[in-house]
Amino acid sequence: MDETSTHLWEKMTSFWMPKHELIDVSLNKDRGKSVTMIGGISNRWSCMEYILTEKTNVKCVTEFFDHLIGKIEKGCVMVLDNHPAHTSKSIASKAHSMGIELLFLPPTASELNPIEVMWAYFKRKWR
């Protein structure tokens, strides 16, 4: 389980201008809100489970756990990073009540979480 956020505005990848002229590039101030996807993958599910939110906080992570009720087996192990919303006491309590064991990755070891490959794919498609 993990989350990712992205803005959905289109990004310019290149543009033309006269040679030897200075470039002043600034971000559009009217970019819109970012979108956060909280999701999980499992070798026991036929598809990725996810919810869309505006941010990552304890309330949103709790909503994701509620989304998993009936889809996740008791006794499973959920792998998470050390985001403050993941490590809160209320999330630990929620997981315990659902029969989920939480396993936290070492700091700066996101490459150990297979869902990171999914996030890279989704961000490319979103943009």
Side-chain angles (χ1 to χ4, degrees), residues 33-51:
K33 293 182 178 181
S34 67
V35 174
T36 297
M37 179 186 272
I38 301 175
I41 55 175
S42 171
N43 60 355
R44 297 181 184 253
W45 299 337
S46 61
C47 61
M48 178 179 176
E49 296 294 336
Y50 66 93
I51 63 169

Side-chain angles (χ1 to χ4, degrees), residues 17-30:
M17 64 177 296
K19 193 174 182 178
H20 304 298
E21 283 193 21
L22 295 177
I23 303 173
D24 181 21
V25 178
S26 58
L27 289 175
N28 181 351
K29 295 195 184 332
D30 189 24

Side-chain angles (χ1 to χ4, degrees), residues 60-107:
C60 295
V61 174
T62 301
E63 287 176 21
F64 178 69
F65 274 72
D66 289 340
H67 172 78
L68 294 178
I69 292 174
K71 300 174 185 172
I72 198 163
E73 300 172 15
K74 289 187 180 222
C76 77
V77 176
M78 184 178 289
V79 178
L80 306 134
D81 61 20
N82 289 287
H83 188 287
H86 300 169
T87 59
S88 73
K89 289 181 182 179
S90 63
I91 294 300
S93 175
K94 180 76 171 176
H96 179 73
S97 72
M98 293 175 67
I100 300 169
E101 181 182 341
L102 300 179
L103 176 65
F104 294 96
L105 293 170

